[in-house]
Amino acid sequence: MPVTLTQIRNGIGTNLSDNITSLSVYNYTPDRSEPPLIIVGVLDQLEYDTTMQRGSDTYEIPCRLLIANVDAQLAQETLDGYIASSGSNSVKQAIESDVTLSGVVSSVRVTEARNYGSYTLNNTDLIGVDFLVQVVG
């Protein structure tokens, strides 16, 4: 049975919430929220048939991390901990903690962090970064 995008988002969200308790995790864009939070994005790209004859598809899913920007230095230092490749707040390490998303996909890998900068969500100024997650399923 083919994997669904909802299953993938839920699996990524579970990996994040199980490993970084300081973040509110959303598998959709929330109407209201309090930072720090991460939004498991809908879809950046879907490449069909990446293995032979409908063996699997490759999904690229953005995850946007947003934190309060009350103090610029503190906000950036906090964000730096989330973009580290390892550590207790590492988003990469958390997402890759179960690379099969409970057996739903073949692999999950965070390939990059990008767009580090200022954002606005619900009329609130935040600082954030996008993580690109590649899923083969």
Side-chain angles (χ1 to χ4, degrees):
M1 180 176 207
V3 65
T4 67
L5 187 54
T6 299
Q7 289 174 301
I8 292 170
R9 280 196 314 271
N10 290 343
I12 292 170
T14 297
N15 283 0
L16 285 162
S17 60
D18 285 353
N19 290 284
I20 306 178
T21 57
S22 62
L23 284 177
S24 297
V25 179
Y26 296 92
N27 299 338
Y28 53 88
T29 302
D31 293 327
R32 300 245 185 269
S33 59
E34 290 293 323
L37 64 105
I38 192 162
I39 302 166
V40 180
V42 178
L43 184 67
D44 198 30
Q45 179 178 333
L46 171 55
E47 184 180 349
Y48 295 108
D49 306 329
T50 54
T51 60
M52 296 180 291
Q53 299 187 358
R54 289 298 311 132
S56 63
D57 300 325
T58 300
Y59 299 78
E60 289 188 0
I61 300 172
C63 295
R64 178 164 288 168
L65 173 71
L66 299 168
I67 62 172
N69 193 11
V70 178
D71 175 281
Q73 181 178 352
L74 179 60
Q76 289 179 35
E77 289 173 357
T78 301
L79 194 57
D80 292 348
Y82 288 116
I83 67 170
S85 60
S86 63
S88 61
N89 285 333
S90 169
V91 169
K92 177 177 174 51
Q93 184 173 308
I95 290 173
E96 294 175 353
S97 64
D98 174 2
V99 296
T100 67
L101 305 178
S102 297
V104 174
V105 299
S106 300
S107 69
V108 172
R109 185 171 72 99
V110 178
T111 59
E112 63 184 85
R114 61 186 182 189
N115 303 322
Y116 189 117
S118 298
Y119 291 89
T120 301
L121 180 66
N122 301 324
N123 296 317
T124 303
D125 292 331
L126 304 165
I127 187 169
V129 65
D130 292 331
F131 295 88
L132 187 59
V133 182
Q134 185 179 70
V135 180
V136 178

